[in-house]
């Protein structure tokens, strides 16, 4: 038999059980709190970006008398 087939048929019906590290309920709770706080921060950032984008769109449609959108040859700005 070639070496690549050695050990494939050991006669065991199942894989040996893998022992997992036990996690305390307090650690699980803090993990969930951190997850929800992170999701809240991400949602707040998305709201901030959308509001900023809408503000820029409003500035493009309604430029003031002075500022970064008003140039000397613009027809939308007052002389």
């Amino acid at each position: 038999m070639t070496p690549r087939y050695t050990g494939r048929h050991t006669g065991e019906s199942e894989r040996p059980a893998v022992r997992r590290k036990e996690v305390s309920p307090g650690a699980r709770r803090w993990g969930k709190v951190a997850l929800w706080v992170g999701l809240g921060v991400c949602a707040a950032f998305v709201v901030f970006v959308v509001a900023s984008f809408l503000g820029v769109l409003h500035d493009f449609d309604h430029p003031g008398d002075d500022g970064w959108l008003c140039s000397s040859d613009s027809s939308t700005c007052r002389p």
Side-chain angles (χ1 to χ4, degrees):
M1 227 178 186
T2 61
R4 68 180 179 173
Y5 293 113
T6 305
R8 293 249 177 145
H9 301 284
T10 60
E12 296 178 13
S13 61
E14 297 179 6
R15 290 184 166 187
V18 177
R19 295 192 62 154
R20 295 185 184 207
K21 183 180 175 185
E22 293 294 324
V23 179
S24 67
R28 278 192 204 133
R29 181 178 55 131
W30 285 112
K32 287 183 182 180
V33 167
L35 175 71
W36 284 105
V37 167
L39 287 172
V41 168
C42 288
F45 179 73
V46 167
V47 168
F48 173 75
V49 168
V50 168
S52 298
F53 181 70
L54 292 176
V56 167
L57 289 179
H58 181 267
D59 288 344
F60 282 147
D61 291 339
H62 305 83
D65 292 338
D66 57 347
W68 63 280
L69 287 175
C70 192
S71 64
S72 61
D73 59 351
S74 175
S75 63
T76 59
C77 298
R78 295 182 191 137

